[in-house]
Amino acid sequence: MCGIVGYIGHGDKKQVLIDGLRELEYRGYDSAGIAMMDESGITHYKAVGKLINLENKASEYSSNSYGVGIGHTRWATHGKPNEVNAHPHLGEYSFVVHNGIIENYQELKKELQDEGVRFLSQTDTEVIVHLFEKFNNQLDNPFQAFEQTIAKLRGAYATLLITKKDPETIYFAKNGSPMIAGKDDHGSVYFGSSDAALIGKAKEVTYLTDGDYGFARSGTIHLFHAGESMVPAMVPLKSDKIYAQKEGFRFFMEKEIYEQSSVISDTMLGRVLDDEIHFDEIPDGLFDGIREIKVCACGTSYHAALASSYLFERLSQIRASVEIASEFRYKEPLLRTDTLFVVISQSGETADTLEALKMAKLAGIKTLALCNVDNSSIVREADATILLRAGIEKGVASTKAFATQMMVLWMLALYLAKDKMTAEKYRFDLEAMRLIPGLAKVNERIHEKVKRLSKRYLHGHGFFFIGRDIFYPLALEGALKLKEISYLHAEGYPSGEMKHGPIALADSELFTIALMPQTLLYDKTKSNIEELSARDSTICAISPKSFELADDMIRTSEQKHPMCEFFEMMVILQLLSMEVAVRRGNDVDMPRNLAKSVTVE
Ligand code: M6R
């Protein structure tokens, strides 16, 4: 996830771009860059790290003559966060910025290289500028060249391009990544990845939709879709910046829950192929001689780790064990060199996880990190890293990071299962995987139902979230979400374990949130819940099948694969904890006593 901005006008181009990028810095901050063009030509600056580094570097520049500018703040997906990989990317006479992932960039790059084009960066983005110049050299028509360029791109993109061949114009295209275009009363045009970058500048905006492209020049936005010229639908721009960063959602947590579908798609891009799983990030030999996988993490990431142990054993047929990092550090663990040590962390800075990783390295065993923040301490320490591509997560309660962790872990389990599963079973998983972005989309009807139901779950003496198999770690995660933002006591438990003690707590003030998937151990789970119902526990069942003993029922869709049910139920649990917290008047994004990144032990 990155942020992009664009500007055409008489104002101080550098300042307009930097102001816009500052509002988008939450989307990525491992490098930033700007390019401005006016009558004196093109000037560009790039800097690694936070925006302030770019501001310092460009401090001498100013231009108030009419011209154009584009800017970018980067959150690395392809290529290390260094200056060469920072945007804007340069061709012979044009610059481009891009947010998203060009899925077919390798094949396009190869074609261009075969034709003699020299690439400077490791990014997917650079193909856009070279393709554009190739077509423009043939056609001598920048608009047609741009149209042909975007027709070649597969994947997600929001992109802006400026070129010396048409110096007062910005070319734009949007497909799968956000982009907004706006205007003021003085003939200026603005672009941004979110409203926040345009607030205080543009008066009215148009929210571009997937497949939109065009160019802006002399205060006018020329919009096209599927070859047809369109009239942009302009609406007045709101003036509240924090509201804009939340893109209309009440909380960052809510926005992040709603984003899950699209970030899961990003996670899958270029990795879930037609008939196999592919990870560019896995170096040759990483799995050679490995007989066990040990997965280590904290909090939500630990729940993902626990769920993965079922997948590694069932699909990949590799022994898998799971460790809570703070426990692992002091238990004097026996580490063997035929073990792959996998750490999972959203932030990449969690002290316990980082120390556990260092211990594994010291013991000489191979390490792999699953992490959301490139260049974080954990990423730098591990032998190899698979980035989650969830984008920046602001809510303290982790949601989309968990979703992408689960996705990567499932992909990894399948990657390792290639020669161990029958072709039919392998295909079954691969096909199920492709359904997940759709299933992780928030169903508004269910969200409304959860909002209404939440009023019944504000008191009581506790919650038990229960499930079996992979739905047990999901139950743990549901309970953690509720605890951390509603401040109500909640436990996650394996359904079959309730009778070994916790059932003694059952009465009408004990709330049981029962995960009852139809594809995995339905009858066993049902019996366990009947036992609780018989002791008068209040039951909220989450299931595609109706359950007559439920006091409340949230119906999920009929699915064939347990992971499809998993992701659907995950969203419901997240919404439930959020709506309970809202009703209790709590600070959803910054709950008491917690921090987003736990860098102490
Ligand atoms: O950044 P990490 O994934 O390493 O963080 C681990 C935990 O601190 C984190 O998951 C925490 O439990 C969240 N607040 C859960 O929502």
Side-chain angles (χ1 to χ4, degrees):
M1 198 171 75
C2 308
I4 60 180
V5 291
Y7 172 64
I8 310 178
H10 283 101
D12 180 345
K13 284 168 279 307
K14 179 191 79 183
Q15 208 47 52
V16 174
L17 296 176
I18 298 267
D19 289 349
L21 290 178
R22 189 170 299 111
E23 298 303 327
L24 299 177
E25 211 179 359
Y26 73 95
R27 299 176 64 88
Y29 41 76
D30 52 42
S31 59
I34 47 177
M36 288 81 52
M37 179 162 54
D38 61 11
E39 58 208 12
S40 61
I42 293 193
T43 312
H44 80 283
Y45 298 92
K46 296 180 182 194
V48 173
K50 297 231 163 110
L51 195 57
I52 185 72
N53 301 343
L54 178 69
E55 274 186 271
N56 291 339
K57 219 166 168 182
S59 60
E60 304 285 287
Y61 179 90
S62 89
S63 152
N64 286 317
S65 59
Y66 191 77
V68 301
I70 54 176
H72 187 271
T73 177
R74 181 166 185 249
W75 190 77
T77 55
H78 292 79
K80 292 204 177 317
N82 55 29
E83 236 173 71
V84 175
N85 289 330
H87 301 217
H89 287 287
L90 169 69
E92 296 285 322
Y93 50 81
S94 318
F95 279 87
V96 72
V97 292
H98 158 235
N99 166 30
I101 295 172
I102 307 298
E103 221 176 314
N104 58 335
Y105 85 100
Q106 274 168 325
E107 127 203 352
L108 296 172
K109 185 170 178 174
K110 167 111 192 22
E111 271 172 40
L112 288 161
Q113 280 172 328
D114 289 348
E115 291 164 16
V117 176
R118 213 169 68 81
F119 278 75
L120 298 175
S121 74
Q122 286 108 44
T123 65
D124 51 338
T125 303
E126 202 182 333
V127 295
I128 302 176
V129 72
H130 294 308
L131 269 180
F132 168 77
E133 291 192 349
K134 169 184 151 172
F135 291 130
N136 192 54
N137 293 343
Q138 291 163 1
L139 299 162
D140 195 21
N141 181 325
F143 178 59
Q144 284 176 7
F146 188 70
E147 255 187 330
Q148 295 211 5
T149 301
I150 55 174
K152 284 269 196 185
L153 307 179
R154 270 209 330 263
Y157 51 83
T159 185
L160 298 175
L161 181 143
I162 57 175
T163 176
K164 282 186 189 163
K165 302 288 175 185
D166 191 3
E168 296 189 350
T169 302
I170 293 184
Y171 291 90
F172 64 89
K174 177 216 176 329
N175 192 42
S177 300
M179 179 143 54
I180 293 147
K183 301 197 290 188
D184 64 11
D185 289 340
H186 313 289
S188 302
V189 176
Y190 302 85
F191 290 92
S193 300
S194 106
D195 293 12
L198 276 62
I199 286 177
K201 301 206 157 58
K203 279 198 83 176
E204 50 174 15
V205 293
T206 179
Y207 294 86
L208 299 173
T209 58
D210 288 347
D212 283 354
Y213 66 97
F215 60 92
R217 182 188 295 144
S218 312
T220 306
I221 299 164
H222 301 267
L223 180 65
F224 294 81
H225 193 101
E228 299 289 316
S229 170
M230 317 280 290
V231 178
M234 305 302 289
V235 291
L237 181 61
K238 292 200 178 60
S239 57
D240 178 343
K241 284 194 178 172
I242 293 292
Y243 177 86
Q245 276 191 2
K246 290 182 191 154
E247 291 168 13
F249 292 101
R250 294 168 295 170
F251 315 102
F252 282 109
M253 181 186 183
E254 187 176 41
K255 170 174 168 276
E256 287 157 8
I257 293 172
Y258 273 76
E259 265 171 13
Q260 290 180 122
S261 164
S262 79
V263 296
I264 288 174
S265 299
D266 288 348
T267 301
M268 293 165 68
L269 273 177
R271 293 169 172 169
V272 179
L273 308 182
D274 288 348
D275 51 6
E276 63 174 4
I277 302 292
H278 170 81
F279 284 108
D280 273 342
E281 303 88 337
I282 295 182
D284 287 347
L286 185 71
F287 290 98
D288 289 355
I290 295 300
R291 296 168 65 99
E292 180 183 347
I293 296 181
K294 203 178 257 307
V295 198
C296 182
C298 302
T300 288
S301 302
Y302 167 74
H303 298 151
L306 188 58
S308 77
S309 65
Y310 291 79
L311 302 177
F312 285 130
E313 298 214 337
R314 183 168 296 143
L315 305 181
S316 334
Q317 292 170 39
I318 294 185
R319 201 177 324 117
S321 58
V322 187
E323 304 276 358
I324 290 179
S326 56
E327 284 299 306
F328 177 80
R329 287 178 65 177
Y330 300 104
K331 71 190 268 201
E332 297 176 28
L334 289 176
L335 294 173
R336 295 190 334 206
T337 48
D338 63 356
T339 301
L340 176 72
F341 195 78
V342 178
V343 286
I344 308 176
S345 174
Q346 187 286 128
S347 61
E349 302 298 344
T350 301
D352 286 319
T353 312
L354 179 60
E355 282 312 311
L357 172 62
K358 286 182 180 163
M359 282 168 64
K361 288 206 72 181
L362 212 60
I365 67 177
K366 291 185 194 169
T367 59
L368 170 69
L370 269 54
C371 190
N372 199 32
V373 182
D374 200 3
N375 216 25
S376 57
S377 305
I378 284 178
V379 169
R380 290 199 306 269
E381 192 70 30
D383 295 329
T385 298
I386 300 178
L387 290 176
L388 301 173
R389 302 182 184 162
I392 292 179
E393 193 179 60
K394 283 201 151 186
V396 164
S398 183
T399 51
K400 60 177 182 168
F402 177 71
T404 52
Q405 285 166 353
M406 283 309 306
M407 207 58 213
V408 170
L409 287 161
W410 182 18
M411 280 152 56
L412 190 61
L414 204 58
Y415 173 87
L416 294 171
K418 180 89 179 162
D419 304 322
K420 307 216 175 106
M421 288 167 90
T422 63
E424 196 186 347
K425 278 195 173 157
Y426 190 84
R427 215 174 26 251
F428 178 55
D429 268 67
L430 216 48
E431 278 164 14
M433 239 171 221
R434 296 201 184 92
L435 301 176
I436 304 303
L439 293 167
K441 207 170 244 162
V442 176
N443 175 325
E444 292 291 349
R445 189 184 48 79
I446 290 194
H447 192 172
E448 272 314 307
K449 169 141 200 191
V450 169
K451 251 185 212 164
R452 265 186 295 112
L453 273 186
S454 59
K455 65 176 174 286
R456 296 171 59 160
Y457 295 95
L458 306 176
H459 59 287
H461 59 72
F463 286 76
F464 269 90
F465 286 69
I466 60 172
R468 278 174 175 264
D469 203 281
I470 50 171
F471 293 88
Y472 159 51
L474 184 59
L476 286 171
E477 176 58 10
L480 177 64
K481 286 287 87 85
L482 188 74
K483 269 190 276 233
E484 63 182 335
I485 58 172
S486 75
Y487 318 144
L488 290 167
H489 180 73
E491 283 191 59
Y493 235 76
S495 315
E497 188 65 10
M498 292 298 285
K499 57 186 170 296
H500 297 288
I503 204 168
L505 291 167
D507 63 21
S508 61
E509 294 293 286
L510 179 81
F511 300 136
T512 300
I513 312 293
L515 303 182
M516 303 176 71
Q518 68 173 2
T519 52
L520 204 58
L521 303 168
Y522 179 79
D523 291 331
K524 304 266 177 221
T525 311
K526 186 165 168 250
S527 314
N528 301 141
I529 295 159
E530 282 163 357
E531 287 153 15
L532 280 155
S533 169
R535 273 96 186 157
D536 218 17
S537 171
T538 298
I539 312 282
C540 174
I542 305 178
S543 180
K545 287 170 104 138
S546 65
F547 177 54
E548 58 286 2
L549 297 177
D551 297 279
D552 286 315
M553 181 86 224
I554 303 174
R555 285 293 275 271
T556 49
S557 63
E558 302 263 343
Q559 294 298 327
K560 295 199 179 86
H561 195 291
M563 289 302 285
C564 293
E565 300 204 85
F566 183 100
F567 279 96
E568 220 184 315
M569 291 185 184
M570 172 197 80
V571 175
I572 292 172
L573 295 179
Q574 294 164 341
L575 292 172
L576 180 66
S577 64
M578 183 180 74
E579 295 304 340
V580 171
V582 174
R583 283 194 187 266
R584 287 173 57 86
N586 297 349
D587 185 335
V588 168
D589 286 329
M590 281 184 269
R592 69 185 185 201
N593 306 338
L594 298 177
K596 184 66 189 158
S597 178
V598 186
T599 53
V600 291
E601 44 169 328

